[in-house]
Amino acid sequence: MSNKWVYMFEEGDMTMRNLLGGKGANLAEMTKIGLPVPQGFTVTTEACTQYYEDGRKINDEIMEQVMQGVAKMEEINGKKFGDKENPLLVSVRSGARASMPGMMDTILNLGLNDEVVATMIAGNDDPAFERFVYDSYRRFIQMFSDVVMEVGKKYFEQLIDKMKEEKGVQFDIELTAADLKELASQFKAEYKKQLGEDFPSDPVEQLKLAIEAVFRSWDNPRANVYRRDNDIPYSWGTAVNVMPMVFGNLNNQSGTGVAFTRDPATGENKLMGEFLINAQGEDVVAGVRTPMPIAQMEQEFPEAYAQFLEVCETLENHYHDMQDMEFTVENKKLYMLQCRNGKRTAQAALKIACDLVDEGHKTPAEAVAMIDPRNLDTLLHPQFDAKALKAATPMGKGLGASPGAACGKVVFTAEDAEKWNEMGEKVILVRLETSPEDITGMKAAQGILTVRGGMTSHAAVVARGMGTCCVSGCGDIVMDEENKKFTLAGKEFHEGDYISIDGSTGNIYDGIIETVDAQIAGEFGRIMAWADEFRKLKVRTNADTPADAKKARELGAEGIGLCRTEHMFFEEDRIAAFREMICSDTVEEREAALEKILPYQQGDFEALYEALEGCPVTIRFLDPPLHEFVPTEEADIEKLAKAQNKSVEEIKAIISSLHEFNPMMGHRGLRLAVTYPEIAKMQTKAVIRAAINVSKAHPDWNVAPEIMIPLACDAKELKYVKDIVVATADAEIAAAGVDMKYEVGTMIEIPRAALTAGDIAKEAEFFCFGTNDLTQMTFGFSRDDAGKFLNAYYDKKIFESDPFARLDTTGVGQLMEMAVKNGKATRPSLHCGICGEHGGDPTSVEFCHKIGLDYVSCSPFRVPIARLAAAQAA
Ligand code: ADP
Ligand code: MG
Ligand code: MG
C-alpha cells in the first residue's frame, strides 16, 4: 500500500501532531469540535522528510494525493480551484510539530491569475469588490515572489511606496481599485525583470511550487537558529496546510485579528488581542496600520465578537491551557484559522499554571509539566525595561552565556572593575578572555563581555555561578586591551563609555538601557513546592563560597555537589603562600608553605559547613594545573623571588618549567596529589578539622565530609591518593577523639575512568560525573576552543546542539550509564551525581534521572531550573 501523505481536516485530530504539525492537528481538532474552520487539508511532516530525501522535490505520489485533497476541498466548499466561474483561492501554510512562530513561510490568495481575476470582477457589481480582488492579487504576487521565488520583498514595497507617493496617500487602504490593478501589473513586470520568466498563471503549478517552498523554509537560516535555541530536532520536518481563503479584506464588514485567552505577559485571566477592519492576516503583525484592541471589536461586529468569546471558552475548556488564536471575519461571519497553546513569559507561565489548577483545569503534576524550566532563568536576574529594549538596536552579538541584563561603564581589567565599583560606578568588564584571577573583578562588575570563549568557558561558568550577566565569545570585537579600547560595529569604545549587554540573547548595545529588578511572584514558590513533591533526583549546587551556598540554599539546593577549592587560593594573602608552595624545592619547604594555607582553607570549609547546616558538602581537591597560579606581572614575580630567597631568573625558570602544551591534559587533578602528596594531606586536614569543629558547635547537624578526588583514570592511581587521604583523616579523627564518618569518592571525567568504573568503585564511595571534562575528552574538543568550529557543524547539520551545553546522551551519556551500572555492581551503596554545567540543563537532567543518578549539581541560579526539570523527568 502506498503512503498516506495527505489528510483532510475532517480526518485528523489533536493527537496527530507529529504527523500533521501543530497547526494542522489543531485545525483538525477545531473542526472536530464544531468550530468554524475553512475546510482544507494537511500534507504531512513525513512528506516533508520525503521531499528532502527526494532531493528537494515533491514526488508524483504526494502531488497526486494533494490534487485529490484539492478535489475534496472543492466539493466541501462548492468552489473550484482555478475555475473561471466560481474560483477557489487557498492559503498554503507551514506548521511544524512544535510551534515556531514566524520562522517559516505562508502564502495567501493562491489560485489567482489574470483570468480568475477577470471572472471574479465580472460576477460582482460592487466597485469595492473590484478593489478587494486587485488587493488580493497584488498581495499574492508579492508573497509568492518573496516566499516561493525568493525575489526580495523590498522591490514590491518600493513600488507600493512610489504609488502612494504619486497618489498622495498615506495608507495602502487609500489606494483605489485602479491603483491596485496597476500595482498588480507592475509586480508581474518586476517578477519578470528579476527572474526572466512570466509569473506562473497555472494554479496547480502555483500550488506545487508553494508547497515545495514551505518544505524548503524548514531549512532556512532563521528556522535553523530557532530550532537550535529551542531543542527542536531538524529531522521533524514541517507539515503544509492548504485551506480555502476567507477574506478579511473583502469590505468594511470584514477584518482579521489575533488574540490570547489570557495575557501572555502577566498571565492575567483576561482576553488580550488586536483586530483590524478590512485587512488580511499579515497586516496585524506587520504594523502597516495600527490595530485596535480586541474589545473594540464588540462595537464593530457584535455577533462575531460574541461568538468569538464563546470560541475562546470552548478552546480553553478543551485544551485546558491559554490559547493563542488567529481568526478572520468575512462579511460579519467568524472563521477560526489557528489555535495553539500560547507562548508566554516565565511570570505568566507560573500564574497561568497556578490559576489553571485553581480553576480545576489541571492537576498540580500537569501544572508542573507545563512550565519550561529554561524560562525560569529570566525570573532570577535583573531585566531590561521592555519598552527601552524595544527601542534599542543591538550593535553586536555574542553568546548569551549567563542571563540577566547589565548596563554600565566599560572597564578593561579586573582591578579597574573593583576600583570603579568601590567608587560607586556600575561597570561592564570587557576582556579578551577571563582568567581565574579576574574573579573578584567579575564579582564587582554588573556584567562581563568577552571576545573569546564558549558557553562553558571560564567566564561563562563563573558568571552563571555568580548570577552575573555575561556575554561571551563576541568575535566581532576588535580588542586593544593595552590601550584600553575596543571597536565594535565601527565605533571605538574607551574606558568609561556606557554599554548594555543582554546575557539571555547575547545582544550588545551602545549606551544605557534601563533595567528593572527581577521579581519572584508568589506562584513561583507554589510551583516549586509541587515540583519537589514529584522529583526523585536531589538537587545540589556548585558553590565555593558561603555567600553562593546561601543563595543556592534559598533557591532550594539540598547540598553542595562541587566545591572547587582552588578558587579559595586567589585571594590576596593566600596566593602568596600558594606561590611559595609551587616554587618550593623540597618537601619540607612545600609543607611549610602548605602549613600557612591550612588555616585559611579550614576556615573556608567551616564557613561552608555552617552555611549548609548539616546538608552534604562535597569538597573537591585541587584540580587545575599549577601554572594557573603563578604570577605574570613583573612586580609580582619580584615579590615572590624575595619571599623565596631566589633570583627573578630562578622564579622565571620555575614558571616556564610549568608550561605545558596541553594543560587540560597535563599535570592537574589527582596527578598533583600523586607527585605532591603533601597537598592532599593538607586539604584532608582542613576538611576533617573543619567538620569536627562545626560538628562540635552543632551536635544536631550531620556533618559528614565527602572528599572528592578529581580526574582519576585508574583504580590504582586513585587508591594511592585515597590511602593518603584516609590515613590523614583517620589520624585527625583519632587525635580529636571523636566519631566522624566521611566518604572518599572520585570524579568520573576521563573516558577511561568510565570504562573501568567497576574497578574504580572498589576505591570510591561515590562518583560524580564531571561532564565538562568528560565531554571534552570524549569528543577530543577543547571546551574553550570548540566555539571556533562548532558553528560550521551546526550549519552543515552534523551537530544540532553544543555538547558542552546539552549532554551528548549517545556518546558521553553511554559512558555515564555504563559507569553507574558497573560501579554499583561493585559497590551497591555507591552514590552518583553530576556536577558539570549539564547539571542545570533540563534535557540533561532528564537523562540523569533516567540512568539513576542520585543528584544533579548546578550553579546556584540554575537550582530552581534543575528542581523543575527533575520533577518533569519523574
Ligand atoms: P504564521 O505561522 O507565520 O502565523 P500562518 O500560516 O498562521 O503563518 O498565516 C499567517 C496569517 O495569514 C494568519 O494569521 C491568517 O491571518 C492569514 N491566513 C492564513 N490562512 C488564511 C486563510 N485561509 N484565510 C484567511 N487568512 C489566512
Ligand atoms: Mg499563525
Ligand atoms: Mg574537571
Side-chain angles (χ1 to χ4, degrees):
M1 209 199 97
S2 62
N3 283 310
K4 184 163 167 66
W5 303 108
V6 169
Y7 288 78
M8 302 307 291
F9 293 163
E10 298 167 330
E11 294 177 280
D13 63 45
M14 71 178 175
T15 63
M16 295 164 73
R17 194 181 185 95
N18 294 358
L19 189 62
L20 304 180
K23 199 178 286 168
N26 285 339
L27 284 165
E29 188 72 16
M30 285 197 288
T31 300
K32 199 170 129 188
I33 60 176
L35 298 184
V37 175
Q39 287 302 298
F41 60 84
T42 305
V43 190
T44 65
T45 53
E46 285 172 0
C48 180
T49 314
Q50 189 63 42
Y51 158 88
Y52 282 101
E53 264 171 35
D54 292 341
R56 303 192 173 218
K57 273 198 257 335
I58 295 188
N59 68 36
D60 294 344
E61 187 182 80
I62 297 176
M63 204 50 208
E64 219 169 87
Q65 295 188 20
V66 165
M67 291 320 294
Q68 287 162 7
V70 169
K72 283 191 200 138
M73 181 166 64
E74 290 172 336
E75 210 175 289
I76 301 171
N77 293 281
K79 291 182 178 181
K80 263 185 128 45
F81 190 57
D83 194 46
K84 310 235 161 40
E85 271 155 33
N86 192 10
L88 175 69
L89 304 187
V90 298
S91 65
V92 177
R93 316 170 65 190
S94 58
R97 225 193 264 193
S99 106
M100 297 170 53
M103 292 300 131
M104 290 176 296
D105 294 326
T106 285
I107 300 125
L108 304 182
N109 308 321
L110 187 137
L112 283 171
N113 57 35
D114 287 354
E115 283 176 81
V116 169
V117 164
T119 26
M120 282 174 80
I121 293 168
N124 193 313
D125 297 339
D126 184 354
F129 188 77
E130 185 181 352
R131 187 194 179 282
F132 148 74
V133 173
Y134 281 112
D135 184 46
S136 303
Y137 196 25
R138 67 94 193 165
R139 283 173 194 267
F140 169 55
I141 300 169
Q142 193 175 347
M143 275 187 132
F144 188 90
S145 307
D146 172 29
V147 170
V148 182
M149 307 308 284
E150 296 173 359
V151 178
K153 251 194 226 134
K154 60 169 190 231
Y155 298 107
F156 303 99
E157 275 158 12
Q158 279 162 7
L159 290 170
I160 298 177
D161 287 344
K162 205 167 119 237
M163 177 67 75
K164 285 199 280 198
E165 203 180 299
E166 276 171 26
K167 303 290 164 184
V169 301
Q170 197 185 350
F171 296 110
D172 297 5
I173 194 115
E174 298 167 275
L175 294 172
T176 63
D179 299 340
L180 292 166
K181 181 176 180 181
E182 170 59 23
L183 264 185
S185 84
Q186 285 180 8
F187 280 10
K188 276 193 295 175
E190 185 68 34
Y191 181 95
K192 185 155 189 186
K193 189 171 132 203
Q194 296 286 334
L195 296 170
E197 57 192 57
D198 285 321
F199 188 84
S201 60
D202 174 13
V204 176
E205 189 191 346
Q206 291 173 354
L207 180 61
K208 181 171 182 199
L209 289 171
I211 295 174
E212 284 181 338
V214 172
F215 284 157
R216 190 174 64 219
S217 72
W218 176 250
D219 194 28
N220 74 32
R222 67 176 190 276
N224 283 322
V225 169
Y226 186 89
R227 272 197 296 278
R228 204 154 66 233
D229 287 350
N230 291 278
D231 273 344
I232 301 172
Y234 178 73
S235 60
W236 282 1
T238 181
V240 181
N241 303 288
V242 179
M243 62 194 290
M245 284 303 299
V246 284
F247 298 102
N249 58 338
L250 183 60
N251 50 36
N252 286 335
Q253 266 73 61
S254 309
T256 186
V258 177
F260 295 86
T261 54
R262 299 174 193 235
D263 188 330
T266 62
E268 193 190 343
N269 188 358
K270 183 179 142 215
L271 185 64
M272 260 276 307
E274 291 179 326
F275 185 75
L276 261 181
I277 294 181
N278 198 343
Q280 209 168 40
E282 72 278 12
D283 295 351
V284 176
V285 272
V288 279
R289 278 154 56 197
T290 312
M292 57 175 85
I294 189 87
Q296 216 171 309
M297 187 179 150
E298 186 168 14
Q299 277 99 62
E300 308 289 342
F301 307 114
E303 284 139 58
Y305 185 73
Q307 193 189 352
F308 182 64
L309 291 186
E310 268 172 47
V311 168
C312 288
E313 204 181 316
T314 309
L315 284 176
E316 270 219 355
N317 287 334
H318 194 69
Y319 285 96
H320 304 292
D321 198 355
M322 184 261 268
Q323 293 298 298
D324 167 359
M325 301 153 298
E326 296 172 354
F327 63 95
T328 282
V329 175
E330 179 183 310
N331 265 333
K332 298 188 178 170
K333 188 169 166 7
L334 176 74
Y335 293 93
M336 294 305 297
L337 296 175
Q338 183 174 341
C339 75
R340 63 178 168 218
N341 295 341
K343 297 228 180 288
R344 61 205 77 178
T345 63
Q347 196 189 335
L350 294 171
K351 172 154 175 56
I352 291 172
C354 288
D355 286 353
L356 289 174
V357 170
D358 295 339
E359 293 160 20
H361 282 294
K362 298 258 182 203
T363 63
E366 287 166 337
V368 164
M370 70 189 284
I371 289 164
D372 184 348
R374 282 168 305 192
N375 276 352
L376 293 182
D377 232 17
T378 61
L379 290 176
L380 302 164
H381 304 282
Q383 298 296 303
F384 281 126
D385 179 58
K387 256 200 223 110
L389 194 62
K390 218 172 183 176
T393 329
M395 60 171 173
K397 195 169 164 65
L399 297 168
S402 177
C407 157
K409 292 182 176 173
V410 170
V411 294
F412 291 89
T413 67
E415 295 86 79
D416 287 341
E418 277 180 88
K419 215 166 67 198
W420 289 51
N421 181 51
E422 275 162 24
M423 299 184 311
E425 298 277 9
K426 295 192 165 174
V427 297
I428 309 279
L429 177 61
V430 186
R431 303 280 286 154
L432 214 45
E433 60 208 341
T434 66
S435 78
E437 283 163 273
D438 292 340
I439 190 152
T440 45
M442 292 172 75
K443 271 206 174 122
Q446 302 294 305
I448 298 147
L449 171 61
T450 72
V451 182
R452 299 194 198 125
M455 295 295 284
T456 59
S457 67
H458 175 262
V461 173
V462 173
R464 275 199 294 279
M466 300 188 305
T468 303
C469 162
C470 173
V471 173
S472 69
C474 176
D476 290 340
I477 293 179
V478 182
M479 185 65 154
D480 182 355
E481 280 189 324
E482 205 171 332
N483 296 305
K484 296 195 174 179
K485 63 179 188 190
F486 71 85
T487 315
L488 180 59
K491 185 174 167 184
E492 206 169 84
F493 289 82
H494 299 265
E495 191 175 64
D497 291 347
Y498 273 106
I499 60 167
S500 301
I501 59 175
D502 184 333
S504 308
T505 60
N507 282 336
I508 304 159
Y509 302 87
D510 187 1
I512 301 175
I513 298 179
E514 294 302 327
T515 58
V516 290
D517 260 354
Q519 276 191 346
I520 296 177
E523 286 87 8
F524 186 84
R526 245 182 120 189
I527 294 282
M528 282 296 134
W530 284 328
D532 290 345
E533 278 175 38
F534 300 119
R535 69 188 160 91
K536 303 268 185 303
L537 276 171
K538 297 254 179 237
V539 177
R540 296 195 190 183
T541 189
N542 300 346
D544 312 330
T545 64
D548 284 353
K550 217 173 134 250
K551 181 86 225 162
R553 292 258 289 145
E554 274 165 35
L555 297 172
E558 298 163 292
I560 290 182
L562 173 64
C563 163
R564 302 176 179 89
T565 50
E566 55 270 17
H567 287 171
M568 300 170 165
F569 294 133
F570 281 105
E571 272 167 45
E572 196 62 52
D573 34 358
R574 310 170 180 203
I575 189 75
F578 201 80
R579 286 172 177 164
E580 285 173 32
M581 192 279 291
I582 294 173
C583 295
S584 299
D585 294 325
T586 64
V587 175
E588 290 71 31
E589 270 178 49
R590 208 162 19 250
E591 281 175 341
L594 285 164
E595 203 58 38
K596 291 189 202 166
I597 300 169
L598 174 59
Y600 291 124
Q601 191 119 88
Q602 183 183 329
D604 287 338
F605 295 153
E606 279 171 13
L608 269 187
Y609 284 129
E610 289 281 352
L612 266 290
E613 301 175 325
C615 295
V617 178
T618 305
I619 289 171
R620 179 181 70 180
F621 279 6
L622 187 64
D623 186 50
L626 296 180
H627 77 88
E628 285 193 9
F629 300 91
V630 296
T632 49
E633 305 280 322
E634 199 65 31
D636 292 334
I637 294 175
E638 278 169 26
K639 215 159 88 191
L640 181 58
K642 238 203 212 123
Q644 289 293 96
N645 256 330
K646 288 195 165 79
S647 69
V648 167
E649 282 64 41
E650 281 172 305
I651 296 291
K652 283 189 175 164
I654 293 174
I655 292 174
S656 73
S657 76
L658 291 173
H659 170 82
E660 290 178 306
F661 284 102
N662 198 341
M664 292 310 276
M665 299 174 90
H667 194 190
R668 56 175 286 222
L670 86 173
R671 295 161 202 169
L672 292 167
V674 171
T675 38
Y676 307 122
E678 47 283 5
I679 300 179
K681 277 186 206 157
M682 182 280 285
Q683 292 203 289
T684 306
K685 284 183 198 166
V687 168
I688 299 294
R689 288 180 191 177
I692 290 173
N693 283 350
V694 174
S695 275
K696 279 186 182 153
H698 305 277
D700 49 325
W701 292 355
N702 175 28
V703 184
E706 293 176 5
I707 292 174
M708 183 154 75
I709 299 176
L711 216 74
C713 65
D714 181 87
K716 263 201 221 157
E717 173 199 39
L718 179 62
K719 178 170 169 24
Y720 176 81
V721 179
K722 188 190 104 177
D723 287 348
I724 293 165
V725 170
V726 168
T728 312
D730 288 350
E732 288 293 326
I733 292 168
V738 295
D739 183 24
M740 167 154 290
K741 289 207 173 32
Y742 66 94
E743 286 187 342
V744 183
T746 189
M747 290 185 78
I748 304 287
E749 45 191 342
I750 295 179
R752 192 175 189 279
L755 293 165
T756 61
D759 275 342
I760 288 185
K762 287 185 196 140
E763 307 302 331
E765 295 172 274
F766 63 88
F767 285 171
C768 186
F769 292 95
T771 47
N772 296 346
D773 270 316
L774 189 58
T775 300
Q776 166 165 274
M777 304 222 202
T778 303
F779 278 84
F781 291 167
S782 155
R783 60 174 133 144
D784 291 312
D785 295 320
K788 286 184 199 144
F789 53 82
L790 277 178
N791 275 334
Y793 277 61
Y794 303 144
D795 291 346
K796 294 177 183 164
K797 311 271 158 35
I798 301 171
F799 284 0
E800 289 190 39
S801 65
D802 178 353
F804 292 103
R806 183 155 319 121
L807 193 69
D808 157 48
T809 51
T810 23
V812 177
Q814 195 186 328
L815 286 171
M816 292 170 67
E817 195 170 359
M818 180 173 72
V820 172
K821 193 169 138 253
N822 295 345
K824 287 199 172 171
T826 303
R827 183 191 291 269
S829 67
L830 184 83
H831 60 99
C832 302
I834 180 176
C835 64
E837 278 298 296
H838 302 100
D841 169 63
T843 31
S844 310
V845 170
E846 187 185 337
F847 180 78
C848 293
H849 171 86
K850 229 175 62 194
I851 61 167
L853 295 194
D854 298 286
Y855 65 88
V856 299
S857 187
C858 56
S859 24
F861 284 94
R862 299 198 76 93
V863 166
I865 299 170
R867 285 163 69 196
L868 186 58
Q872 293 181 348

PDB file of all heavy atoms in Angstrom, residues 23 93 326 338 340, ligand 2:
ATOM      1  N   LYS A  23      -0.190  23.153  13.805  1.00  0.00           N
ATOM      2  CA  LYS A  23      -1.265  23.919  13.187  1.00  0.00           C
ATOM      3  C   LYS A  23      -2.297  22.978  12.576  1.00  0.00           C
ATOM      4  O   LYS A  23      -3.510  23.139  12.779  1.00  0.00           O
ATOM      5  CB  LYS A  23      -0.679  24.853  12.110  1.00  0.00           C
ATOM      6  CG  LYS A  23      -1.576  25.986  11.723  1.00  0.00           C
ATOM      7  CD  LYS A  23      -0.894  26.893  10.670  1.00  0.00           C
ATOM      8  CE  LYS A  23       0.194  27.762  11.270  1.00  0.00           C
ATOM      9  NZ  LYS A  23       1.021  28.404  10.238  1.00  0.00           N
ATOM     10  N   ARG A  93       0.128  27.005   4.131  1.00  0.00           N
ATOM     11  CA  ARG A  93       0.702  27.433   5.407  1.00  0.00           C
ATOM     12  C   ARG A  93       1.622  26.377   6.011  1.00  0.00           C
ATOM     13  O   ARG A  93       1.290  25.203   6.059  1.00  0.00           O
ATOM     14  CB  ARG A  93      -0.417  27.726   6.415  1.00  0.00           C
ATOM     15  CG  ARG A  93      -1.569  28.509   5.839  1.00  0.00           C
ATOM     16  CD  ARG A  93      -2.737  28.570   6.794  1.00  0.00           C
ATOM     17  NE  ARG A  93      -2.428  29.304   8.012  1.00  0.00           N
ATOM     18  CZ  ARG A  93      -3.228  29.327   9.068  1.00  0.00           C
ATOM     19  NH1 ARG A  93      -4.359  28.604   9.077  1.00  0.00           N
ATOM     20  NH2 ARG A  93      -2.898  30.016  10.129  1.00  0.00           N
ATOM     21  N   GLU A 326      -5.789  32.822  15.855  1.00  0.00           N
ATOM     22  CA  GLU A 326      -5.874  33.709  14.706  1.00  0.00           C
ATOM     23  C   GLU A 326      -7.243  33.501  14.067  1.00  0.00           C
ATOM     24  O   GLU A 326      -7.688  32.364  13.930  1.00  0.00           O
ATOM     25  CB  GLU A 326      -4.744  33.387  13.717  1.00  0.00           C
ATOM     26  CG  GLU A 326      -3.380  33.657  14.331  1.00  0.00           C
ATOM     27  CD  GLU A 326      -2.205  33.197  13.490  1.00  0.00           C
ATOM     28  OE1 GLU A 326      -2.421  32.555  12.448  1.00  0.00           O
ATOM     29  OE2 GLU A 326      -1.072  33.457  13.897  1.00  0.00           O
ATOM     30  N   GLN A 338      -6.494  29.410  13.319  1.00  0.00           N
ATOM     31  CA  GLN A 338      -5.395  28.768  14.039  1.00  0.00           C
ATOM     32  C   GLN A 338      -5.658  28.867  15.531  1.00  0.00           C
ATOM     33  O   GLN A 338      -6.238  29.842  16.013  1.00  0.00           O
ATOM     34  CB  GLN A 338      -4.071  29.482  13.730  1.00  0.00           C
ATOM     35  CG  GLN A 338      -2.862  28.843  14.387  1.00  0.00           C
ATOM     36  CD  GLN A 338      -1.548  29.486  13.932  1.00  0.00           C
ATOM     37  OE1 GLN A 338      -1.481  30.149  12.899  1.00  0.00           O
ATOM     38  NE2 GLN A 338      -0.517  29.298  14.715  1.00  0.00           N
ATOM     39  N   ARG A 340      -3.407  27.566  19.271  1.00  0.00           N
ATOM     40  CA  ARG A 340      -2.303  26.807  19.867  1.00  0.00           C
ATOM     41  C   ARG A 340      -2.142  27.265  21.313  1.00  0.00           C
ATOM     42  O   ARG A 340      -2.618  28.350  21.675  1.00  0.00           O
ATOM     43  CB  ARG A 340      -0.999  27.045  19.102  1.00  0.00           C
ATOM     44  CG  ARG A 340      -0.551  28.495  19.159  1.00  0.00           C
ATOM     45  CD  ARG A 340       0.769  28.715  18.425  1.00  0.00           C
ATOM     46  NE  ARG A 340       1.005  30.130  18.267  1.00  0.00           N
ATOM     47  CZ  ARG A 340       1.535  30.703  17.194  1.00  0.00           C
ATOM     48  NH1 ARG A 340       1.907  29.981  16.173  1.00  0.00           N
ATOM     49  NH2 ARG A 340       1.727  31.998  17.157  1.00  0.00           N
TER      50      ARG A 340
HETATM   51 MG    MG B   2      -0.127  31.832  12.515  1.00  0.00          MG
END
